[in-house]
Amino acid sequence: MSRSAHPAGPRHADVLSEGHYAAPPADLNSLDPKVWAQTVTRDADGVVTVGGVPVTRLAEEFGTPAYVLDEADFRARARAWRTAFGQDADVFYAGKAFLSRAVVRWLAEEGLNLDVCSGTELATALSAGMPADRIAFHGNNKSAAEIERAVGAGVGRIVLDSFQEIVRVAHIAQSLGRRQRVQIRITVGVEAHTHEFIATAHEDQKFGIPLAGGQAAEAVRRALKLDGLELIGIHSHIGSQIFDMSGFEVAAHRVVGLLREIRDEHGVELPEIDLGGGLGIAYTSDDDPREPHEIAKALSEIVTRECEAARLRTPRISVEPGRAIVGPTAFTLYEVGTIKPLEGLRTYVSVDGGMSDNIRTALYDAEYSVALVSRTSDAEPLLVRVVGKHCESGDIVVKDAFLPADLAPGDLIAVPATGAYCRSMASNYNHALRPPVLAVRDGAARVVVRRETEDDLLRLDVG
Ligand SMILES: *Cc1c(COP(=O)(O)O)cnc(C)c1O
């Protein structure tokens, strides 16, 4: 991605030479609809509102920091995925991106399925009424207790991730008198174009069984022999924050190649393939994600073409978007605290949260944008780094961004596109109390996950 320095931005060559910030937008008060949830706008007083509720009211009533989730937007995105894929495909929302009982109910109502990857995520899903047969259970190291719970609950599929697990799941299913529907997760040697630590289809990685060297074919051979398992398909997940469909093209080609081998060897045509998740969203105005209908069309064309070439019936496709559904639907609301201009460098703006509520910047070098949301301003753009309040110099929320130069303690700022992997990866570092998730819709806000309290933390500390 190329970035250009703006002459009206920072005034120092050493900062300019780093060059990894965008130019200031023409109007600092404007909110790019690409990165903000659908119902976000400014009211007549210049205060940002979401679902008709001003952020100043949210801060007053619920405190900061807080994750603010636009319910109408969440439902609209879930529905768009469901509609785009139609009746011949399934959309599994990847619960690890953000999971709460409210979200599970919305998904159930909108006709989506759900991926979980721990016993507790499974418990959350079941407790909110997601039918077990619409749940897929993932993970590279599922415990025997988790497998028992999943099989016992009747989950629609378990995605097998290793040779040991093939035997383990078969054994547990048999001992419970069940035949468990399973897929085998394979790694196809596709590297998605994204940060190394979040790419997951190299073969040198912990997930899946490599296609290379006939290992995936051997896994299929073993699974087909076991009475406790009903092998329904092959699974591939190639990475995250992907914009380019060509990775899926290669993955589908290789998965269908395996289906053909299976047909030739066993006379069995597996009925399903799962192409995973990983579709990108706009974190900043520079990102241009595709719409669900474009993705659905591309994937279905790729699979159909590959299957025709292999003379296979086209299997039922499933996909597992997490970030692409929930990511854009929420922002994090912070109050500005200390502002520290460093002569010749940049201005550090501290907020009342940080890496405990958004680890992605520190972990993946993720880029975010930020805006002043409690008022508008006509002041000059100021190059800032938004940092948290933790005892760690890598505690950065937004590396480089422009905010108005008259920014002051007590102002509210918000970081958009924090719906995915922020609350779900939040920590209690420095005994931070994890922020609440507020769902806003039609002029009303409600807490769907409450703020942690000191009592919550002290209760765990049994001395
Ligand atoms: C993480 C993950 C997903 C979701 O990834 P997103 O980038 O949030 O879309 C889907 N499937 C599997 C197997 C995953 O591990």
Side-chain angles (χ1 to χ4, degrees):
M1 224 176 292
S2 70
R3 296 288 163 84
S4 56
H6 191 283
R11 283 148 191 100
H12 304 282
D14 49 348
V15 177
L16 278 167
S17 68
E18 290 184 16
H20 53 237
Y21 48 84
D27 176 8
L28 278 183
N29 299 315
S30 72
L31 301 165
D32 183 350
K34 264 208 289 191
V35 299
W36 291 91
Q38 238 168 51
T39 72
V40 169
T41 181
R42 279 190 199 269
D43 68 15
D45 301 325
V47 177
V48 168
T49 70
V50 53
V53 181
V55 293
T56 41
R57 200 169 101 207
L58 293 173
E60 214 169 282
E61 228 173 282
F62 304 103
T64 54
Y67 302 103
V68 183
L69 180 55
D70 181 344
E71 177 178 343
D73 192 19
F74 185 99
R75 285 181 180 270
R77 286 175 199 272
R79 205 174 305 138
W81 277 87
R82 185 75 207 90
T83 308
F85 279 85
Q87 291 311 305
D88 300 328
D90 297 300
V91 180
F92 286 75
Y93 169 79
K96 70 182 194 215
F98 172 66
L99 194 66
S100 78
R101 289 196 270 203
V103 157
V104 172
R105 279 190 289 268
W106 301 341
L107 292 164
E109 287 168 14
E110 300 296 343
L112 277 75
N113 296 357
L114 180 64
D115 272 1
V116 298
C117 50
S118 72
T120 320
E121 285 187 359
L122 176 61
T124 305
L126 293 171
S127 80
M130 178 61 81
D133 63 359
R134 284 164 61 185
I135 298 176
F137 192 47
H138 276 274
N140 68 301
N141 187 24
K142 308 170 190 77
S143 71
E146 285 174 322
I147 294 168
E148 254 179 62
R149 193 170 184 181
V151 174
V155 298
R157 64 173 69 154
I158 293 181
V159 182
L160 301 173
D161 201 83
S162 67
F163 283 98
Q164 289 182 341
E165 200 172 81
I166 292 170
V167 181
R168 209 174 279 148
V169 172
H171 178 77
I172 290 171
Q174 245 184 334
S175 71
L176 294 172
R178 302 284 181 97
R179 190 147 185 263
Q180 178 62 50
R181 289 161 62 87
V182 296
Q183 290 189 336
I184 293 176
R185 178 167 175 175
I186 67 169
T187 47
V188 294
V190 173
E191 188 190 325
H193 296 280
T194 183
H195 194 288
E196 194 190 352
F197 294 117
I198 47 177
T200 62
H202 314 281
E203 302 192 327
D204 185 6
Q205 56 140 319
K206 70 170 185 170
F207 290 111
I209 296 174
L211 190 60
Q215 295 182 74
E218 176 59 20
V220 168
R221 220 166 274 138
R222 294 189 194 177
L224 285 173
K225 282 197 192 115
L226 294 166
D227 291 335
L229 306 181
E230 180 190 350
L231 181 61
I232 59 167
I234 299 296
H235 181 285
S236 155
H237 173 73
I238 58 170
S240 55
Q241 189 58 3
I242 303 166
F243 292 103
D244 181 350
M245 298 302 286
S246 57
F248 288 100
E249 194 139 4
V250 179
H253 174 73
R254 294 183 182 172
V255 170
V256 172
L258 178 62
L259 293 184
R260 190 189 52 219
E261 273 182 54
I262 295 167
R263 191 252 339 258
D264 294 347
E265 181 178 344
H266 306 280
V268 175
E269 289 197 30
L270 297 183
E272 295 188 19
I273 71 173
D274 189 309
L275 293 172
L279 288 313
I281 63 164
Y283 283 105
T284 73
S285 299
D286 294 334
D287 298 326
D288 288 303
R290 299 199 178 200
E291 296 292 326
H293 68 266
E294 297 174 285
I295 295 162
K297 184 162 177 283
L299 291 181
S300 130
E301 281 174 5
I302 293 166
V303 172
T304 304
R305 177 166 23 89
E306 291 295 335
C307 287
E308 273 169 10
R311 294 166 192 269
L312 285 162
R313 273 191 300 275
T314 304
R316 188 173 179 86
I317 299 174
S318 50
V319 287
E320 306 174 308
R323 186 192 321 268
I325 292 177
V326 70
T329 67
F331 59 82
T332 314
L333 185 62
Y334 298 106
E335 185 179 305
V336 172
T338 302
I339 297 175
K340 193 180 283 185
L342 293 186
E343 191 52 42
L345 293 169
R346 70 184 85 238
T347 296
Y348 280 80
V349 172
S350 301
V351 293
D352 48 356
M355 65 191 294
S356 58
D357 59 69
N358 187 350
I359 191 66
R360 293 191 65 260
T361 307
L363 191 59
Y364 305 128
D365 219 17
E367 300 212 24
Y368 283 96
S369 65
V370 61
L372 172 61
V373 291
S374 48
R375 62 182 174 92
T376 52
S377 166
D378 296 326
E380 284 290 288
L382 175 74
L383 178 68
V384 303
R385 175 162 288 178
V386 179
V387 296
K389 59 179 292 166
H390 298 289
C391 301
E392 155 70 47
S393 51
D395 174 24
I396 297 167
V397 180
V398 185
K399 269 185 305 186
D400 296 293
F402 291 92
L403 284 170
D406 65 350
L407 191 76
D411 279 333
L412 297 176
I413 61 176
V415 174
T418 58
Y421 305 107
C422 287
R423 180 60 179 80
S424 66
M425 294 178 106
S427 79
N428 291 120
Y429 183 43
N430 293 138
H431 286 200
L433 302 170
R434 286 177 297 176
V437 180
L438 313 174
V440 184
R441 178 190 177 183
D442 298 333
R446 68 188 173 104
V447 177
V448 295
V449 179
R450 73 159 167 78
R451 185 184 303 283
E452 270 178 336
T453 64
E454 235 168 73
D455 280 348
D456 289 333
L457 282 200
L458 289 173
R459 208 172 295 136
L460 299 176
D461 184 340
V462 295

